[in-house]
């Protein structure tokens, strides 16, 4: 049984375990960290992210490449937006859940602090 | 009655709470509301893997997509493309009203105006030149119900078998392969075999990019079980190579010798399962003469690894290694896609892969299968099973068989004489006939042939000259450039229907929102066109998608692809059903032709005596599969001194076909904003080409200026260009020679040369 | 002002009695009994804490209430504060 007091913060993730219906509610507000939008510095937007970032942030690209995302070639844009129309300097949990929806419960176990509390943003390796 | 905002939020809150225990508080309300998201189970719109998705709808808009945890295909995971599908639904490029070309320009028209014009034109053509002057060209992305309506209108009412679809360009060789090798189309196993396989042989498939969730399952399985081995046979290194233990690089189009050489080793080193062969297999040559195992062995003598090395360029040692890995592995699963199918000898290539399973008995047991990966989400369901090609009828029936024509005509409520006994024109013949004027009117649905045909520019002439109707959800496309009438079609989430994926699984997709603008469901457009053409009675009953599905389903009764147990009601609840599924209480079939397959189980005991499989398909005799003695054959256009480089084309992870959908996502456009040609560093050095140089790729059919990507992916002597962008239409350069059996063109091999721009 | 949609899980025999009790509480609106022992209700309060207090009180004072599970909370005009002390 859910701890009721905690449930108010978890809001919805816990209860989905009870759900038998196909139409489930999702009040994803408050899941994980906040959404921060920003503006990418003006660059040649006809290029893909990687074409510049491999030079300007080689360590980050290398970290990414070593990760599950890198191996599957799921690029920068998947967390950070395309940079031109949408740009999220800080990745946020709601985006993770889209692909990793089977981890919603796991996330709730961790007191709803957002995926990046544990997982490094680029290597995706959990840290303490 | 106006309600206050506070009231509205309260109602929303209550409904959401109720929904969380599976109760619909305000039934009959279509949309979730402006403040919360309702989730609906559906299927991914893109590839043939058939992943389950949950679609989030809020205020009449599709706002989010996530993986469906309960779907066994993907267990909640999705690849990139699916992630951005909601953007395609509400894209600016959605076509919202019909258009008619007037004075060379497409202008807005009403539905009545547009359909009346099409009906009038089609009837005029039919009257003056006969039904065979009309044609339909559909899609492996259309729903089964949509293809079903088209089939009835064209084959059953208009009376022409000129009904084709883009699966001809993608899957036809696999169909030919399965029919000739196993006697029935579609694989014997399912994805469940992945987690049980000890060896994967991936041939002509860039699984990581083209079927990402299958790749993910393979990768997870291998990570957990390091003894699992992966052999790749492909002229190009791809992201799939991350998991490879061995990679064979044949010259594009020269791999048939390699497959025979692998068989040679298997047979000569004692890996053949002669008792399985004796009971389950005929051995035949190209003339269909039967041969003994000894004769087969003799035939293989020409294909020593050394000879195969001479033909294919693959080191003999690697061939031996691959063969031994295959032979030693307890279970083996081979997978292939366009690299085998889009070939002048695609059917043979398919046969030769299946041979390896048949001679070693690595089929019909968990973890072993010859498993073709389908490109499109409903190529199997709608077109192969639904009969959307020029020689077939719905439910695995053939136009050449009188009994089949009669059976289908009866269900359609048309005279059997309406259905012609001869196959119609296959895709290349169809577009050639537009060029010559033998076909004067064509209806194109849910696909973009003016961008995707091989030797593309050759076929623009006919599209320009003849009467072309295009039904699509997006505008403009290269094909709408040639359209005389454009009809706006409802898109995924705006219509219900069935998709059938690679593993014989049929899945239901709900209608969640109303179609954009005036768009209508393709099946209803065809139905209404039929009525306007004078087939009022024939199309009167199709009020719902379910009626169409049930009628189609009735044609599968007693067939190898029995779908009688897959009713809408059931499919709405479950995550798809894998046929044969003969009754409502049947769970579906994991393995065909063996224990647990209801058709096999129902066979009389004497037929099954002493064997573990019975190939009962329509093309098999005595329940036996066929090992084919297919000789090596070169591609249609081998490289030569003038055009020394092999050009091959394909898809990439981030984009789909002609970009009508993935092009609506800024993220995916950023991921890969433009086309490029991959050149091996060794070749680039020889030609003095540097990364990002503009180069000109040229074949006998045309040339294309494009950016060079110098990268260690294609083997030396081979270059690769993805085909997605209309600005870089590489298909103009592709060869349109086709397989004489499957009629599938050889996109994968063209002789080319490259120079700096 | 936060509004929460909740499901109240009850002991089956007491469900109807609980429904009556809930109806008496100010700022609680009920939406019927479902699946035998669930009551769907909406709580309104001034602050998130108030909602939480309300549910605590209900659990403690109304016999037969097994749990209260919020499925949806609307915090219009109120920033959701990340409480860092956890
Ligand atoms: S693998 Fe195919 S079906 Fe699955 S999410 Fe990706 S595109 Fe869709």
């Amino acid at each position: 049984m859910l701890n009721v007091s905690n449930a108010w913060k978890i809001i919805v993730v816990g209860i989905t375990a009870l759900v038998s219906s196909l139409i489930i509610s999702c009040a994803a507000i408050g899941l994980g960290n906040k959404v921060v939008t920003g503006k990418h510095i003006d660059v040649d937007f006809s290029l893909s992210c990687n074409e510049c970032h491999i030079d300007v942030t080689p360590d980050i690209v290398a970290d990414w490449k070593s990760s599950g995302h890198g191996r599957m070639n799921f690029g920068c844009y998947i967390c950070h937006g395309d940079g031109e129309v949408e740009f999220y300097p800080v990745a946020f949990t709601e985006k993770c859940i889209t692909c990793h929806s089977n981890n919603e419960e796991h996330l709730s176990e961790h007191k709803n602090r957002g995926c990046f509390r544990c997982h490094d943003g680029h290597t995706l390796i959990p840290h303490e | 009655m106006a309600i206050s905002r506070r009231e509205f939020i309260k109602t929303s809150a209550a409904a959401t709470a109720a929904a969380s225990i599976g109760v619909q508080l305000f039934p009959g309300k279509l949309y979730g509301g402006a403040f919360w998201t309702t989730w609906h189970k559906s299927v991914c719109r893109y590839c043939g893997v058939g992943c389950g998705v949950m679609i989030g709808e809020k205020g009449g808009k599709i706002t989010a997509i996530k993986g469906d945890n309960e779907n066994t295909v993907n267990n909640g995971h999705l690849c990139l493309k699916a992630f951005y599908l909601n953007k395609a639904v509400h894209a600016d490029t959605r076509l919202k009203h019909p258009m008619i070309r007037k004075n060379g320009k497409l202008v807005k028209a009403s539905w009545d105006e547009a359909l009346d014009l099409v009906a009038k034109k089609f009837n005029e053509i039919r009257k003056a030149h006969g039904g065979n002057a009309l044609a339909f060209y559909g899609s492996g992305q259309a729903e089964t119900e949509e293809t079903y309506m088209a089939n009835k209108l064209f084959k059953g009412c208009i009376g022409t078998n000129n009904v084709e679809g883009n699966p001809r360009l993608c899957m036809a060789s696999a169909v030919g392969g399965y029919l000739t090798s196993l006697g029935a189309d579609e694989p014997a196993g399912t994805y469940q075999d992945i987690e049980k396989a000890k060896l994967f042989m991936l041939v002509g498939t860039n699984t990581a990019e083209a079927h990402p969730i299958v790749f993910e399952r393979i990768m997870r399985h291998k990570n957990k079980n390091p003894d699992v081995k992966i052999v790749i046979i492909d002229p190009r290194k791809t992201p799939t190579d991350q998991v490879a233990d061995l990679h064979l690089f044949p010259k594009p189009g020269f791999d048939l010798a390699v497959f025979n050489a692998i068989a040679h080793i298997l047979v000569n080193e004692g890996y053949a399962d002669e008792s399985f062969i004796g009971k389950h297999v005929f051995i035949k040559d190209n003339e269909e003469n039967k041969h003994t195992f000894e004769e087969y062995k003799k035939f293989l003598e020409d294909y020593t690894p050394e000879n195969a090395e001479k033909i294919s360029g693959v080191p003999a040692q690697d061939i031996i290694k691959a063969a031994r890995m295959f032979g030693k592995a307890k279970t083996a699963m081979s997978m292939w896609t366009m690299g085998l199918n889009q070939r002048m000898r695609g059917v043979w290539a398919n046969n030769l892969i299946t041979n390896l399973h048949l001679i070693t008995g690595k089929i019909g047991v968990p973890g072993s299968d010859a498993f073709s990966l389908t490109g499109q989400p409903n190529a199997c369901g709608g077109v192969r099973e639904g009969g959307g090609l020029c020689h077939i009828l719905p439910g695995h029936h053939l136009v050449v068989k009188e009994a089949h024509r009669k059976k289908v005509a009866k269900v359609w409520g048309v005279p059997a004489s309406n259905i012609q006994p001869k196959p119609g024109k296959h895709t290349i013949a169809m577009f050639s006939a537009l060029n010559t004027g033998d076909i004067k009117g064509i209806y194109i649905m849910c696909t973009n042939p003016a961008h995707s045909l091989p030797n593309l520019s050759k076929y623009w002439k006919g599209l320009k000259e003849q009467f072309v109707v295009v039904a699509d959800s997006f505008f403009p496309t290269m094909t709408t450039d040639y359209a005389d009438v454009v009809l706006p079609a409802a898109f995924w989430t705006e219509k219900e229907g069935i998709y059938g994926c690679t593993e014989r699984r049929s899945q239901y997709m709900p209608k969640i929102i109303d179609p954009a603008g005036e768009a209508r469901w393709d099946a209803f457009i065809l139905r209404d066109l039929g009525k306007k053409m004078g087939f009022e009675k024939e199309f009167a009953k199709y009020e719902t998608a379910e009626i169409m599905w049930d009628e189609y389903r009735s044609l599968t009764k007693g067939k190898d692809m029995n779908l009688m147990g897959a009713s809408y009601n059931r499919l709405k609840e479950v995550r798809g059903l894998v046929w044969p599924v003969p009754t409502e209480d049947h769970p579906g079939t994991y393995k065909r032709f063996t224990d647990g397959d209801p058709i096999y189980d129902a066979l009389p005991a004497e037929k099954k005596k002493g064997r573990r499989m019975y190939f009962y398909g329509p093309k098999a005799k005595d329940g036996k599969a066929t090992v084919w003695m297919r000789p090596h054959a070169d591609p249609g256009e081998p490289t030569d001194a003038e055009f020394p480089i092999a050009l091959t084309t394909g898809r990439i992870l981030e984009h789909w076909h002609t970009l009508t959908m993935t092009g609506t996502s800024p993220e995916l456009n950023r991921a890969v904003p433009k086309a490029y040609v991959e050149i091996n560093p060794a070749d680039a050095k020889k030609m003095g080409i540097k990364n990002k140089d503009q180069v000109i790729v040229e074949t006998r059919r045309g040339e294309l200026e494009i950016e060079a990507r110098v990268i260690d992916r294609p083997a030396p002597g081979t270059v690769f260009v993805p085909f997605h962008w209309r600005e870089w239409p590489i298909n103009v350069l592709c060869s349109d020679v086709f397989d004489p059996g499957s009629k599938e063109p050889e996109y994968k091999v063209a002789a080319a040369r490259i120079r700096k721009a | 002002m936060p509004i929460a949609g909740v499901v109240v899980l009850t002991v089956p025999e007491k469900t109807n009695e609980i429904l009556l009790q809930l109806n008496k509480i100010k700022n609680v609106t009920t939406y019927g009994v479902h699946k035998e022992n669930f009551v769907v209700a909406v709580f309104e309060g001034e602050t998130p804490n108030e909602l939480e207090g309300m549910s605590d009180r209900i659990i403690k004072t109304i016999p037969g209430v097994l749990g209260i599970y919020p499925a949806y909370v609307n915090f219009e005009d109120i920033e959701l504060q990340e409480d860092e002390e956890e």
Side-chain angles (χ1 to χ4, degrees):
Chain A
M1 274 289 149
L2 270 175
N3 168 326
V4 173
S5 153
N6 217 3
W8 286 103
K9 286 158 200 149
I10 296 169
I11 299 178
V12 74
V13 276
I15 202 164
T16 50
L18 289 174
V19 171
S20 57
S21 153
L22 296 176
I23 303 171
I24 55 170
S25 62
C26 182
I29 42 165
L31 263 185
N33 55 332
K34 281 199 190 122
V35 179
V36 184
T37 56
K39 200 173 157 9
H40 193 282
I41 55 161
D42 209 19
V43 292
D44 177 358
F45 280 114
S46 72
L47 302 175
S48 71
C49 313
N50 229 329
E51 284 177 79
C52 294
H53 277 274
I54 200 144
D55 297 325
V56 292
T57 58
D59 294 348
I60 289 178
V61 172
D63 281 354
W64 165 78
K65 196 71 218 163
S66 74
S67 72
H69 281 173
R71 285 199 298 275
M72 293 292 286
N73 219 4
F74 291 1
C76 316
Y77 50 88
I78 199 147
C79 298
H80 297 289
D82 73 305
E84 194 180 11
V85 182
E86 282 174 23
F87 181 53
Y88 309 105
V90 185
F92 56 98
T93 299
E94 228 179 287
K95 284 227 177 215
C96 313
I97 287 298
T98 302
C99 294
H100 301 278
S101 61
N102 48 357
N103 284 7
E104 269 177 88
E105 259 178 77
H106 170 66
L107 176 63
S108 74
E109 279 163 28
H110 291 78
K111 301 233 176 5
N112 188 28
R113 307 311 295 160
C115 304
F116 301 108
R117 275 291 168 97
C118 302
H119 292 272
D120 179 84
H122 294 111
T123 63
L124 304 179
I125 295 169
H127 52 72
E128 280 310 306
Chain B
M1 186 186 76
I3 54 167
S4 72
R5 179 163 170 73
R6 188 167 188 83
E7 269 309 309
F8 184 80
I9 296 172
K10 276 176 70 177
T11 332
S12 307
T16 310
S20 75
I21 50 166
V23 171
Q24 207 182 348
L25 206 50
F26 308 105
K29 199 165 172 305
L30 183 59
Y31 300 138
F35 298 102
W36 81 95
T37 305
T38 54
W39 293 94
H40 306 259
K41 120 182 140 71
S42 190
V43 188
C44 175
R45 173 65 180 72
Y46 288 114
C47 86
V49 176
C51 296
V53 297
M54 297 300 291
I55 303 175
E57 171 274 323
K58 192 170 163 185
K61 286 223 174 324
I62 303 302
T63 50
I65 311 287
K66 62 180 182 181
D68 179 357
N69 283 331
E70 288 180 42
N71 196 306
T72 57
V73 172
N74 56 319
N75 297 310
H77 288 249
L78 289 182
C79 82
L80 281 183
K81 292 183 283 285
F83 197 69
Y84 298 109
L85 259 170
N86 54 323
K87 305 207 176 189
V89 178
H90 302 293
D92 295 340
T93 47
R94 283 296 305 276
L95 176 59
K96 301 220 172 86
H97 48 75
M99 286 192 279
I100 294 176
R101 193 172 296 279
K102 287 181 182 156
N103 302 321
K105 259 213 165 105
L106 284 170
V107 294
K108 190 171 170 180
S110 74
W111 267 107
D112 270 340
E113 226 181 311
L115 282 186
D116 283 341
L117 174 68
V118 178
K120 184 169 148 269
K121 271 294 233 182
F122 276 8
N123 274 340
E124 277 169 14
I125 294 170
R126 186 164 169 244
K127 208 163 155 216
H129 308 279
N132 282 337
L134 291 171
F136 174 86
Y137 187 68
S139 169
Q141 296 164 62
E143 294 170 339
T144 304
E145 294 83 348
E146 294 167 340
T147 302
Y148 186 73
M149 280 295 99
N151 243 337
K152 172 161 180 178
L153 176 59
F154 283 80
K155 288 185 187 144
C157 297
I158 293 172
T160 176
N161 288 336
N162 290 338
V163 173
E164 277 281 293
N166 56 16
R168 176 71 74 189
L169 309 177
C170 128
M171 295 314 307
S173 299
V175 178
Y178 277 127
L179 280 172
T180 46
S181 285
L182 303 185
D185 187 22
E186 299 197 35
T190 65
Y191 297 140
Q192 281 183 51
D193 288 312
I194 294 175
E195 282 77 19
K196 301 183 184 108
K198 288 286 175 210
L199 177 109
F200 292 90
M201 198 168 83
L202 306 175
V203 190
T205 163
N206 175 5
T207 323
E209 295 201 73
H211 297 94
I213 295 298
V214 168
F215 176 71
E216 200 228 1
R217 283 179 70 161
I218 296 174
M219 197 163 74
R220 272 173 198 268
H221 175 52
K222 187 174 158 86
N223 281 347
K224 267 195 230 148
N225 305 281
D227 59 323
V228 169
K229 296 279 179 265
I230 297 178
V231 178
I232 297 181
I233 306 180
D234 197 303
R236 180 171 166 248
K237 215 185 263 175
T238 66
T240 310
D241 275 77
Q242 297 169 72
V243 295
D245 294 285
L246 177 66
H247 191 138
L248 276 48
F249 293 92
K251 282 191 289 179
F254 289 88
D255 47 4
L256 269 56
V258 177
F259 307 144
N260 272 336
I262 293 177
H264 173 102
I265 302 287
L266 290 173
V267 164
N268 284 302
E269 296 195 357
Y271 295 112
D273 182 343
E274 290 188 45
S275 100
F276 181 87
I277 296 171
K279 289 175 195 146
H280 300 86
V281 166
F282 289 126
I283 297 169
K284 291 185 193 162
D285 63 20
N286 273 352
E287 277 70 50
E288 311 227 354
N289 301 314
K290 286 191 192 132
H291 291 270
T292 62
F293 185 61
E294 287 311 312
E295 286 167 323
Y296 176 57
K297 254 173 136 171
K298 209 156 176 344
F299 160 80
L300 290 175
E301 271 170 20
D302 284 348
Y303 297 96
T304 59
E306 293 70 28
N307 281 349
E309 172 172 352
K310 270 184 221 133
I311 297 171
S312 67
V314 180
Q317 278 316 313
D318 285 352
I319 297 174
I320 296 168
K321 233 190 262 171
R324 287 182 184 154
M325 283 166 82
F326 191 94
K328 279 192 192 130
K330 228 175 129 228
T331 54
M333 203 171 176
S334 50
M335 297 184 180
W336 64 92
T337 323
M338 297 312 129
L340 274 203
N341 294 339
Q342 292 180 331
R343 296 276 300 283
M344 208 184 76
R345 282 297 173 192
V347 175
W348 289 10
N350 272 263
N351 292 146
L352 292 180
I353 294 294
T354 309
N355 278 359
L356 305 179
H357 291 268
L358 290 172
I359 59 176
T360 55
K362 288 188 173 55
I363 188 162
V365 288
S368 283
D369 201 29
F371 195 79
S372 138
L373 298 172
T374 321
Q376 301 185 86
N378 200 30
C380 284
V383 176
R384 284 158 79 167
E385 297 157 22
L389 296 172
C390 66
H391 63 297
I392 47 179
L393 291 166
H396 284 178
H397 291 94
L398 297 171
V399 299
V400 292
K401 290 210 168 151
E402 193 186 351
H404 289 188
R405 292 197 302 276
K406 279 190 171 150
K407 181 174 163 192
V408 174
K410 195 166 164 221
V411 169
W412 279 348
V414 300
S417 57
N418 277 18
I419 306 177
Q420 296 193 17
K422 271 193 12 211
K425 291 197 161 63
H426 60 81
T427 296
I428 292 295
M430 182 181 275
F431 285 92
S432 302
L434 281 166
N435 276 352
T436 57
D438 290 332
I439 291 178
K440 301 196 180 303
I442 187 168
Y443 188 106
I444 297 169
M445 178 177 89
C446 190
T447 183
N448 191 1
H451 184 154
S452 60
L453 290 169
N455 196 358
L456 186 59
S457 49
K458 175 172 159 190
Y459 300 104
W460 287 337
K461 170 178 180 279
L463 287 167
K464 198 182 264 166
E465 287 171 2
Q466 312 305 339
F467 180 68
V468 175
V469 183
V470 179
D472 207 321
S473 302
F474 298 92
F475 182 86
T477 69
M478 281 172 88
T479 307
T480 60
D481 289 356
Y482 297 101
D484 295 284
V485 179
V486 182
L487 304 172
F491 186 54
W492 179 82
T493 69
E494 300 171 344
K495 58 186 184 182
E496 63 176 346
I498 308 290
Y499 266 3
C501 73
T502 293
E503 63 162 358
R504 295 180 273 117
R505 181 182 296 276
S506 297
Q507 305 192 75
Y508 171 83
M509 298 179 290
K511 173 177 188 280
I512 301 166
I513 56 171
D514 288 329
E518 295 171 30
R520 289 185 189 172
W521 185 36
D522 273 311
F524 284 163
I525 302 175
L526 287 158
R527 172 197 71 184
D528 295 345
L529 173 63
K531 286 184 182 172
K532 282 191 192 275
M533 286 182 73
F535 308 107
E536 187 69 48
K537 185 170 89 313
E538 287 83 346
F539 286 96
K541 69 170 178 182
Y542 302 111
E543 290 293 324
T544 63
E546 191 170 2
I547 293 174
M548 300 172 195
W549 175 253
D550 283 346
E551 187 178 297
Y552 163 64
R553 218 154 50 95
S554 74
L555 280 166
T556 69
K557 192 173 176 181
K559 300 291 287 184
D560 62 332
M561 51 150 304
N562 198 330
L563 280 166
M564 286 310 286
S567 64
Y568 257 36
N569 274 344
R570 202 171 164 206
L571 289 171
K572 279 178 189 172
E573 296 301 321
V574 300
R575 267 61 180 176
L577 288 164
V578 178
W579 59 256
V581 44
T583 52
E584 291 261 353
D585 54 6
H586 191 277
T589 303
Y590 157 44
K591 279 270 175 196
R592 295 169 87 189
F593 315 123
T594 187
D595 279 336
D597 171 350
I599 301 173
Y600 177 87
D601 290 344
L603 289 169
E606 69 267 20
K607 282 198 168 177
K608 295 186 279 194
K609 207 169 145 219
R611 42 157 95 192
R612 61 174 170 86
M613 293 186 89
Y614 192 95
F615 298 92
Y616 52 69
K619 287 256 177 191
K621 281 240 160 57
D622 301 336
K624 288 192 174 183
T626 304
V627 166
W628 288 95
M629 296 169 24
R630 303 290 196 201
H632 172 77
D634 287 353
E637 193 181 72
T639 53
D640 52 27
E642 216 186 327
F643 292 95
I645 287 172
L647 165 70
T648 181
T649 67
R651 295 211 284 234
I652 58 171
L653 171 72
E654 296 85 351
H655 287 300
W656 173 261
H657 288 193
T658 61
L659 285 187
T660 49
M661 293 185 284
T662 50
T664 63
S665 154
E667 292 87 350
L668 296 176
N669 285 330
R670 172 72 54 251
V672 190
K674 53 181 180 282
Y676 49 84
V677 52
E678 287 180 3
I679 306 175
N680 185 284
D683 289 341
K685 204 169 159 204
K686 263 191 263 165
M687 294 185 280
I689 291 167
K690 284 194 301 297
N691 198 28
K692 296 200 175 192
D693 279 354
Q694 285 297 117
V695 297
I696 288 168
V697 182
E698 188 188 355
T699 68
R700 292 186 172 85
R701 292 157 293 279
E703 55 178 50
L704 182 71
E705 186 176 331
I706 193 167
E707 190 177 292
R709 182 170 294 180
V710 178
I711 187 167
D712 180 26
R713 277 201 179 174
T718 304
V719 295
F720 168 86
V721 182
F723 81 106
H724 307 291
W725 293 264
R726 74 177 288 165
E727 296 85 350
W728 296 277
I730 189 66
N731 284 9
V732 169
L733 277 65
C734 287
S735 157
D736 58 350
V737 298
F738 53 82
D739 184 302
S742 70
K743 319 290 192 251
E744 179 163 345
E746 190 160 57
Y747 285 88
K748 285 292 183 269
V749 197
R753 60 185 173 212
I754 294 184
R755 62 176 193 273
K756 265 177 106 162
Chain C
M1 167 176 259
I3 294 178
V6 303
V7 179
V8 183
L9 178 64
T10 63
V11 177
E13 313 74 78
K14 299 230 166 109
T15 315
N16 287 330
E17 171 63 18
I18 291 166
L19 181 69
L20 292 175
Q21 295 286 333
L22 286 172
N23 279 338
K24 287 185 194 151
I25 304 173
K26 196 174 147 242
N27 287 343
V28 172
T29 319
T30 60
Y31 291 80
V33 175
H34 303 276
K35 300 209 165 164
E36 285 178 29
N37 61 338
F38 288 102
V39 178
V40 171
V42 168
F43 294 180
E44 294 166 80
E46 291 299 330
T47 65
N49 284 345
E50 191 182 325
L51 289 183
E52 205 177 314
M54 226 154 114
S55 88
D56 273 351
R57 259 199 319 283
I58 290 170
I59 291 180
K60 287 196 187 113
T61 57
I62 305 182
V65 173
L66 296 175
I68 298 181
Y69 305 103
Y72 175 88
V73 180
N74 185 296
F75 290 99
E76 231 158 77
D77 305 326
I78 295 176
E79 268 280 310
L80 180 67
Q81 291 153 359
E82 279 212 85
D83 52 333
E84 291 293 345
E85 70 274 2
E86 268 199 5

